[in-house]
Coordinates of all heavy atoms in Angstrom, one line a residue:
H66 N 11.7 -32.1 17.5 CA 12.2 -32.5 16.2 C 11.1 -33.1 15.4 O 10.2 -33.8 16.0 CB 13.4 -33.4 16.3 CG 14.7 -32.7 16.7 ND1 15.3 -31.8 15.8 CD2 15.5 -32.8 17.8 CE1 16.4 -31.4 16.4 NE2 16.6 -31.9 17.6
V67 N 11.2 -33.0 14.1 CA 10.2 -33.7 13.2 C 10.8 -35.0 12.7 O 11.9 -35.0 12.2 CB 9.9 -32.7 12.0 CG1 8.9 -33.5 11.1 CG2 9.3 -31.4 12.5
Y68 N 10.0 -36.0 12.9 CA 10.4 -37.3 12.4 C 9.7 -37.6 11.1 O 8.5 -37.8 11.1 CB 10.1 -38.5 13.4 CG 10.4 -39.8 12.8 CD1 11.7 -40.3 12.6 CD2 9.4 -40.7 12.4 CE1 12.0 -41.5 12.1 CE2 9.6 -41.9 11.8 CZ 10.9 -42.3 11.7 OH 11.2 -43.6 11.1
A69 N 10.4 -37.4 10.0 CA 9.7 -37.6 8.7 C 10.8 -38.2 7.7 O 11.6 -37.4 7.1 CB 9.2 -36.3 8.2
M72 N 9.8 -36.2 3.5 CA 9.0 -34.9 3.8 C 7.8 -34.8 2.8 O 6.8 -34.3 3.1 CB 9.9 -33.7 3.6 CG 9.3 -32.4 4.0 SD 8.6 -32.4 5.7 CE 10.2 -32.4 6.6
L75 N 4.9 -36.7 4.2 CA 4.3 -36.0 5.4 C 3.4 -34.9 4.9 O 2.3 -34.7 5.3 CB 5.4 -35.5 6.3 CG 4.9 -34.7 7.5 CD1 3.9 -35.5 8.4 CD2 6.0 -34.2 8.3
L76 N 4.0 -34.1 4.0 CA 3.2 -32.9 3.5 C 2.0 -33.3 2.7 O 0.9 -32.8 2.8 CB 4.1 -32.0 2.6 CG 5.3 -31.3 3.3 CD1 6.2 -30.7 2.4 CD2 4.7 -30.3 4.3
I79 N -0.7 -34.5 5.1 CA -1.4 -33.3 5.7 C -2.4 -32.7 4.7 O -3.5 -32.4 5.1 CB -0.3 -32.2 6.1 CG1 0.6 -32.7 7.2 CG2 -1.0 -30.9 6.5 CD1 1.7 -31.8 7.5
L106 N -4.3 -24.7 5.2 CA -3.1 -25.6 5.4 C -3.0 -26.6 4.3 O -1.9 -27.0 3.9 CB -3.3 -26.3 6.8 CG -2.2 -27.2 7.3 CD1 -0.9 -26.3 7.3 CD2 -2.5 -27.7 8.6
A110 N 0.4 -27.0 2.2 CA 1.1 -28.2 2.3 C 1.2 -29.0 1.0 O 2.2 -29.6 0.6 CB 0.5 -29.1 3.4
I113 N 3.8 -27.3 -1.4 CA 5.1 -27.6 -1.0 C 5.4 -29.1 -1.2 O 6.5 -29.5 -1.6 CB 5.4 -27.3 0.5 CG1 5.1 -25.8 0.7 CG2 6.9 -27.5 0.8 CD1 5.2 -25.3 2.2
S332 N 4.8 -16.6 14.4 CA 5.7 -17.3 13.6 C 6.8 -18.0 14.4 O 7.1 -19.2 14.2 CB 6.4 -16.4 12.6 OG 7.4 -17.0 11.8
A335 N 5.2 -20.9 16.3 CA 5.1 -22.1 15.4 C 6.4 -22.8 15.2 O 6.4 -24.1 15.2 CB 4.6 -21.6 14.0
E336 N 7.5 -22.1 15.1 CA 8.8 -22.7 15.0 C 9.2 -23.5 16.2 O 9.7 -24.7 16.1 CB 9.9 -21.7 14.8 CG 9.8 -21.0 13.4 CD 10.9 -20.0 13.1 OE1 12.0 -20.2 13.7 OE2 10.8 -19.1 12.4
M338 N 7.0 -24.9 18.3 CA 6.0 -26.0 18.5 C 6.3 -27.1 17.4 O 5.9 -28.2 17.7 CB 4.6 -25.4 18.3 CG 4.1 -24.6 19.4 SD 2.5 -23.9 19.1 CE 1.4 -25.3 19.0
F339 N 6.9 -26.7 16.3 CA 7.0 -27.7 15.2 C 8.5 -28.0 14.8 O 8.7 -28.4 13.6 CB 6.1 -27.4 14.0 CG 4.7 -27.4 14.3 CD1 4.0 -26.4 14.8 CD2 4.0 -28.7 14.1 CE1 2.6 -26.5 15.1 CE2 2.6 -28.8 14.4 CZ 1.9 -27.7 14.9
G340 N 9.4 -27.7 15.6 CA 10.8 -28.1 15.4 C 11.6 -27.3 14.4 O 12.5 -27.8 13.8
G341 N 11.3 -26.1 14.2 CA 12.1 -25.2 13.4 C 11.3 -24.5 12.3 O 10.1 -24.5 12.2
Y342 N 12.1 -23.8 11.5 CA 11.5 -22.8 10.5 C 10.6 -23.5 9.5 O 9.5 -23.1 9.2 CB 12.6 -22.0 9.8 CG 12.1 -21.2 8.7 CD1 11.5 -19.9 8.9 CD2 12.1 -21.7 7.4 CE1 11.0 -19.2 7.9 CE2 11.6 -20.9 6.3 CZ 11.1 -19.7 6.6 OH 10.6 -18.9 5.6
F343 N 11.1 -24.6 8.9 CA 10.4 -25.2 7.8 C 9.0 -25.6 8.2 O 8.0 -25.1 7.6 CB 11.2 -26.4 7.2 CG 10.4 -27.0 6.1 CD1 10.3 -26.4 4.8 CD2 9.7 -28.2 6.3 CE1 9.6 -27.0 3.8 CE2 9.0 -28.8 5.2 CZ 8.9 -28.2 4.0
M344 N 8.9 -26.5 9.1 CA 7.5 -27.0 9.5 C 6.8 -26.0 10.2 O 5.5 -25.9 10.1 CB 7.6 -28.3 10.3 CG 6.3 -29.0 10.6 SD 5.3 -29.4 9.1 CE 6.4 -30.7 8.4
G345 N 7.5 -25.2 11.0 CA 6.8 -24.2 11.8 C 6.3 -23.0 11.0 O 5.1 -22.7 11.0
T346 N 7.2 -22.3 10.4 CA 6.8 -21.1 9.6 C 6.3 -21.3 8.2 O 5.3 -20.9 7.8 CB 7.9 -20.0 9.6 OG1 8.1 -19.6 11.0 CG2 7.6 -18.9 8.7
A347 N 7.1 -22.1 7.4 CA 6.8 -22.3 6.0 C 5.6 -23.1 5.8 O 4.8 -22.9 4.8 CB 8.0 -23.0 5.4
V348 N 5.3 -24.0 6.7 CA 4.0 -24.9 6.5 C 2.9 -24.4 7.5 O 1.9 -23.9 7.0 CB 4.4 -26.3 6.8 CG1 3.1 -27.2 6.6 CG2 5.5 -26.8 5.8
M349 N 3.1 -24.5 8.8 CA 2.0 -24.2 9.7 C 1.6 -22.7 9.7 O 0.5 -22.4 9.6 CB 2.4 -24.7 11.1 CG 2.4 -26.2 11.2 SD 0.8 -26.9 11.0 CE 1.2 -28.6 10.7
F350 N 2.6 -21.9 9.9 CA 2.3 -20.4 10.0 C 1.7 -19.9 8.7 O 0.7 -19.2 8.6 CB 3.5 -19.7 10.4 CG 3.2 -18.2 10.5 CD1 2.6 -17.6 11.6 CD2 3.6 -17.3 9.5 CE1 2.3 -16.2 11.6 CE2 3.4 -16.0 9.5 CZ 2.7 -15.4 10.6
A351 N 2.4 -20.3 7.6 CA 1.9 -19.9 6.3 C 0.5 -20.5 5.9 O -0.2 -19.8 5.2 CB 2.9 -20.3 5.2
G352 N 0.3 -21.7 6.4 CA -1.0 -22.3 6.0 C -2.2 -21.8 6.9 O -3.3 -21.6 6.4
M377 N -3.6 -24.8 15.4 CA -2.1 -25.1 15.4 C -1.8 -26.0 16.7 O -1.1 -26.9 16.6 CB -1.3 -23.8 15.4 CG 0.2 -24.1 15.3 SD 1.1 -22.6 14.9 CE 1.0 -21.7 16.5
F384 N 0.4 -34.5 16.2 CA 1.7 -34.9 15.7 C 2.5 -35.5 16.8 O 3.2 -36.5 16.6 CB 2.4 -33.6 15.2 CG 2.0 -33.2 13.8 CD1 1.0 -33.8 13.1 CD2 2.7 -32.2 13.2 CE1 0.6 -33.4 11.9 CE2 2.4 -31.8 11.9 CZ 1.3 -32.4 11.2
I389 N 5.2 -37.9 15.2 CA 5.8 -37.1 14.1 C 6.7 -36.0 14.8 O 7.7 -35.6 14.3 CB 4.7 -36.5 13.3 CG1 3.9 -37.6 12.5 CG2 5.3 -35.5 12.2 CD1 2.7 -37.0 11.8
L390 N 6.3 -35.6 15.9 CA 7.0 -34.6 16.7 C 7.5 -35.3 18.0 O 6.7 -36.0 18.7 CB 6.2 -33.4 17.1 CG 6.0 -32.3 16.1 CD1 5.0 -31.2 16.7 CD2 7.3 -31.6 15.7

Side-chain angles (χ1 to χ4, degrees):
H66 280 295
V67 178
Y68 174 73
M72 188 57 70
L75 175 60
L76 293 170
I79 294 172
L106 186 57
I113 304 174
S332 174
E336 290 185 27
M338 290 174 64
F339 292 92
Y342 172 82
F343 176 74
M344 186 57 67
T346 292
V348 179
M349 289 296 165
F350 179 78
M377 188 166 72
F384 281 6
I389 299 170
L390 280 177

